[in-house]
Amino acid sequence: MPNPDAHPVSRTAIAAAHMLEKLEPGPLAELRRMDISAGAAGFWRLAAQHPATINDKSLKDWMTIVRILAILTPKGDPAERKLLHDPKRRLGAVLCDGGNPNWPNSNPLRPVLSEQRLARLMATKGKQRRVLLRRAVSAISRTRQPDSGVNVADIAWTLLDSDIGRTGRSIAEHYYRRLDRAERNQQTNQEGAKE
């Protein structure tokens, strides 16, 4: 994936996250339910501000990206929301730990998004990838800690990168690094308990 902060796609995704953090509950809920064939007022406002990035060619992908970010944005008073974008919390890691940096907190060690669902997501493209990514994010929205963000540029690139192999490798790399770290920590804790 290109440099997460320098590319217009990344900057637009970050701008979308900042816009969503400030939205009142009603317009935010409208974006969560947004039909990607029609859009919603908040989306069209963002599209007007980023016409070079959000264009006819990528419209459905951007509608899906904004809908996904709206699903991840905490409900309630905008003044109490934490930042959604965290460049250090890569999408693959969040798909593994469900947006909970303290994961795992129980045995057995199970990623929030199963390895089979991850493999299906990585192997798809186009409309099917939009559907699978939205479902994966809906699953992690139930476990994500409100003060734990996600690299929103990763979400955008998952749908917009024409090289799905590169995107899949990046997601898998961060997913399995997070899983491996949790497994090693769990093994260390078990060995410490035996002593």
Side-chain angles (χ1 to χ4, degrees):
M1 283 180 232
N3 180 338
D5 294 325
H7 197 281
V9 165
S10 301
R11 288 195 310 265
T12 301
I14 293 166
H18 290 311
M19 176 197 75
L20 293 167
E21 291 162 359
K22 298 172 188 165
L23 278 182
E24 291 296 324
L28 184 59
E30 182 182 2
L31 288 169
R32 283 189 184 103
R33 296 185 309 267
M34 177 173 50
D35 178 347
I36 65 165
S37 61
F43 171 78
W44 292 113
R45 180 177 295 274
L46 181 72
Q49 295 168 354
H50 299 275
T53 310
I54 303 175
N55 52 47
D56 288 342
K57 181 181 170 194
S58 62
L59 204 56
K60 288 187 179 194
D61 286 328
W62 275 107
M63 285 186 190
T64 303
I65 291 162
V66 171
R67 185 174 179 197
I68 285 169
L69 297 180
I71 290 168
L72 287 172
T73 301
K75 298 175 182 176
D77 184 358
E80 296 177 11
R81 290 184 193 138
K82 305 289 185 199
L83 296 177
L84 177 59
H85 176 61
D86 182 348
K88 295 177 185 162
R89 293 280 295 149
R90 302 302 299 266
L91 177 60
V94 173
L95 291 173
C96 182
D97 66 24
N100 180 354
N102 299 319
W103 175 86
N105 19 7
S106 64
N107 279 335
L109 181 66
R110 287 183 30 215
V112 173
L113 184 73
S114 72
E115 292 177 78
Q116 293 81 13
R117 286 180 69 191
L118 177 73
R120 279 194 299 272
L121 172 64
M122 291 173 11
T124 62
K125 61 182 176 180
K127 180 180 179 182
Q128 188 63 26
R129 185 171 264 201
R130 288 193 301 265
V131 169
L132 293 179
L133 183 59
R134 186 184 47 77
R135 288 180 185 165
V137 167
S138 292
I140 65 171
S141 71
R142 294 185 283 275
T143 58
R144 189 177 82 78
Q145 301 296 309
D147 59 343
S148 175
V150 61
N151 188 321
V152 299
D154 282 356
I155 293 170
W157 283 112
T158 299
L159 296 183
L160 296 169
D161 193 347
S162 59
D163 184 346
I164 65 166
R166 174 177 51 198
T167 306
R169 285 188 301 275
S170 177
I171 292 171
E173 175 187 354
H174 293 99
Y175 178 97
Y176 284 105
R177 278 187 190 170
R178 181 67 177 104
L179 181 58
D180 182 60
R181 189 171 76 236
E183 288 172 343
R184 281 186 279 119
N185 288 344
Q186 190 175 53
Q187 184 177 10
T188 301
N189 291 340
Q190 288 172 349
E191 290 170 359
K194 291 177 185 177
E195 292 177 0

